[in-house]
Amino acid sequence: MSQAPSTSFVQHLNFLARDASNESAALQAAVSLGLLNPLGATPVPLSELARRLGANVRGVRSVIEPLVALGFVTLEEGRGYSLPESTAAFLSDASFMSRLKENHDGWHAVALLPQAVRTGADVEGRDVLGWYRALFLEPQVSAPNARAEDFFDRSARNFARTQALVTAAELGLLERWVKGPGSLDALAEALGVPARSLEVLVKVLATMGIAQEVEGTWAFTEDAARMLDANSLPYFQRALPATMAYWEALGHLDEAVREQRFRLDLRDPQTARRIYQENASRISGIFASHLRLSRKAAELVRGMRSLAGARVLDVGTGSGVWGAAFGLADPSTHVTFLDSPHVLDAVRPHLAKLKLEARSRLWEGDCLSVDYGEAAYDVILLPQIIPALPSESLPGFFAKLARALRPGGVLLISGYLLTDRRDGPLDALYFALRRYVSNEGDVLSMPEFRALLNPVGLTSARGFDLPIQQVVVAHRGEHAWPEGAA
């Protein structure tokens, strides 16, 4: 039996695929906005920081929260944000800051890397391959201190690492390495690209722990080979188009914060339709694995109340995986799947395959405008939709949902859950950053959820960790919590 890749490597590669560009965008925006300039040893409240910058409070918060989690900024409860001495030291180094800003100019250029590797030439007047050589493969200027070097690496290189991974997938290099090693010339011939440009890409991948050269041939490292085999590689590569959908918007994050101008505006119906349809299709491709995870949530609820004969509503269903999990939890449940017509088209095949059609209803509508009725459902599911909704709509939305719950009803909200101080976890903060830059809603903490749930009578609420996700479960106090599950 082959060994599993190390947990640290799996986390590293998933970070590069999903969150590294978000991290770089936050750090780069902090510099370009001058977000750190007003900060010193005395804490500055968020509202005052936004006022000094002439920027949007929500946008400033979306940028500064990851910096707190990374330790570059300090948050004092009730007082505001300040700078640790190590951050203040490199901010005052003019040479370092100049070098940092120069490398930030590469954001939009690195998106041309696939074309640069294919041609081996400059693209749109930019020497993209030379930029990668200088940043990854040539001797570097020393940073003022270790903290400064960490800031530089995260802001100037992480987004470029993501683009190298995207390029390797797009060119078919990762699939080629699943078959085995090859010399640089053989790989270049198989992919139809110049060997000299492919050499830059594979050497950058080597600095990322993905590739290695052994006796004149290039291949996956041991950890990469274990993680990216023939079965798992297609699953892994599905995350990359979603990352690229936000690329331009993240590259203009400072513009969104200062001017509230969004290059990817998901409040625009046509843009939202395209992105959400792509998301539903992408999730459908990994439906089986998500179904196994979603059934854990159904087991959690069933540990609190019976699902026999339950009427379940899946709001903003996406692929339908959450509603399907509850439909399979008991042969007498009935599930209503609510979403837009083009998204529900992706749900139908799954219901047919799982033989759930007879106990299912497809409801076409907008979750904020439909009438949910009164005491109509035993369980209402919100699968990762809260961050997609405007924050100002949430009080009324939760009031409608609470009214629609029967006595003994349960509301289950899946998705990311921030710490009470909104200073982590980092992947949740990066997800929240994406939501801001696409003009959507926000990721919430448990106190923020309770502030919305208590006024509508859902006074008992707790967060639970499930495999790769978190859920918030709320009810009116009728049920005991499962032991050891929180």
Side-chain angles (χ1 to χ4, degrees), residues 370-415:
V370 300
D371 182 0
Y372 294 102
E374 185 172 355
Y377 302 99
D378 298 288
V379 179
I380 296 179
L381 309 173
L382 303 179
Q384 196 63 282
I385 72 162
I386 294 302
L389 303 179
S391 299
E392 62 271 17
S393 71
L394 294 183
F397 179 59
F398 278 113
K400 290 168 67 174
L401 295 177
R403 180 172 173 265
L405 277 177
R406 291 175 173 172
V410 171
L411 176 68
L412 185 144
I413 308 164
S414 75

Side-chain angles (χ1 to χ4, degrees), residues 49 149 194 318-319 420 428 457:
L49 182 57
E149 180 53 41
S319 68
D420 290 0

